[in-house]
């Protein structure tokens, strides 16, 4: 007879996200995952697979959560420049979460060592760039953003700036400096 799961999968997966986000993949042991997630080792293996499979599940859930947040941001009935400002500001406002970004951390830690992680991170980045491209194009169509600016180049630029901010927040203590980077990034649209 199959045993009934005594935990909600997304709840324990969210705990794995937090631990991987704080410590990284290599530094996080299975025993730490067992303790932090609050479930048995066998349950982790039965539900998610090995540590790497759990990590990939955590990355996917994290990316889905971030994608949903971005979709909500885009759905706002605000000018495109305001949406882009909010997009950058979300990087500076991390209430309760570790600093930085799990996807960025994963790309930096494992990008050259793990093809599956590298492909997943690259795919996530591509989706965000496409979202930025569509926002910039919409802004050009409404006249908010100069039509002569290259929307593809701008989407690459904003992606780079956003990733840079997501990296800087891990070590920067000067909020004025981070805000200045954001303001300078947005000024390219003027």
């Amino acid at each position: 007879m199959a045993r009934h799961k005594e935990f909600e999968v997304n709840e324990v997966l969210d705990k794995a996200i937090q631990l991987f986000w704080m410590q990284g993949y290599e530094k996080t042991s299975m025993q730490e995952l067992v303790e932090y997630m609050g479930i048995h080792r066998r349950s982790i293996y039965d539900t998610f697979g090995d540590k790497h499979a759990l990590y990939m599940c955590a990355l996917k859930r994290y990316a889905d959560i971030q994608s949903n947040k971005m979709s909500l941001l885009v759905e706002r009935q605000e000018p495109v420049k305001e949406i882009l400002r909010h997009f950058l500001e979300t990087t500076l406002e991390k209430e309760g979460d570790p600093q930085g970004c799990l996807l960025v951390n994963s790309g930096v830690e494992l990008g050259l060592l793990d093809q599956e992680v590298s492909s997943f991170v690259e795919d996530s980045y591509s989706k965000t760039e496409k979202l930025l491209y569509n926002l910039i194009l919409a802004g050009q169509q409404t006249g908010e953003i100069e039509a002569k600016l290259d929307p593809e180049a701008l989407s690459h630029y904003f992606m780079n700036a956003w990733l840079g901010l997501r990296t800087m927040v891990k070590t920067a203590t000067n909020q004025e400096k981070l805000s200045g980077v954001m303001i300078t990034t947005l000024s390219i649209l003027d």
Side-chain angles (χ1 to χ4, degrees):
M1 176 183 219
R3 190 172 169 204
H4 179 269
K5 281 189 174 55
E6 297 175 7
F7 57 88
E8 203 282 311
V9 172
N10 286 334
E11 285 179 18
V12 297
L13 199 50
D14 289 344
K15 290 178 181 179
I17 288 169
Q18 290 293 311
L19 190 59
F20 283 131
W21 196 352
M22 289 184 295
Q23 297 187 168
Y25 177 78
E26 290 295 332
K27 188 172 181 226
T28 303
S29 70
M30 277 304 283
Q31 185 57 40
E32 288 173 310
L33 286 162
V34 166
E35 292 169 9
Y36 200 83
M37 293 168 71
I39 62 175
H40 299 286
R41 184 181 300 258
R42 184 81 249 153
S43 294
I44 291 175
Y45 286 113
D46 289 346
T47 305
F48 303 105
D50 63 10
K51 178 181 160 184
H52 189 270
L54 171 61
Y55 190 71
M56 293 308 299
C57 289
L59 280 180
K60 180 172 180 353
R61 175 141 170 89
Y62 177 84
D64 288 345
I65 291 168
Q66 296 305 309
S67 179
N68 288 338
K69 287 179 182 178
M70 285 185 215
S71 294
L72 290 173
L73 191 61
V74 171
E75 291 171 8
R76 292 179 176 194
Q77 297 299 315
E78 292 183 348
V80 170
K81 286 183 180 180
E82 278 300 301
I83 293 171
L84 289 170
R85 184 177 62 76
H86 289 303
F87 175 78
L88 294 173
E89 282 177 341
T90 60
T91 298
L92 306 180
E93 301 163 357
K94 290 287 193 180
E95 294 177 24
D97 284 333
Q99 291 296 336
C101 169
L102 180 60
L103 287 170
V104 173
N105 295 352
S106 298
V108 170
E109 180 184 9
L110 300 172
L112 296 175
L113 306 173
D114 186 318
Q115 185 58 45
E116 187 177 7
V117 170
S118 179
S119 294
F120 186 85
V121 171
E122 181 61 31
D123 183 56
S124 295
Y125 287 175
S126 294
K127 289 175 184 174
T128 302
E129 275 188 355
K130 180 140 181 74
L131 177 133
L132 289 167
Y133 175 84
N134 290 333
L135 271 174
I136 291 164
L137 201 57
Q140 288 177 319
Q141 291 169 349
T142 62
E144 287 179 67
I145 298 172
E146 286 286 331
K148 67 181 179 182
L149 297 173
D150 179 356
E152 185 175 15
L154 280 177
S155 67
H156 295 170
Y157 177 82
F158 267 86
M159 185 67 182
N160 185 61
W162 184 58
L163 291 174
L165 275 173
R166 291 180 86 110
T167 303
M168 283 180 68
V169 296
K170 290 182 65 115
T171 57
T173 56
N174 184 337
Q175 288 299 309
E176 287 179 27
K177 179 179 180 178
L178 294 171
S179 294
V181 169
M182 185 184 73
I183 290 166
T184 301
T185 301
L186 290 168
S187 73
I188 198 163
L189 299 174
D190 297 331

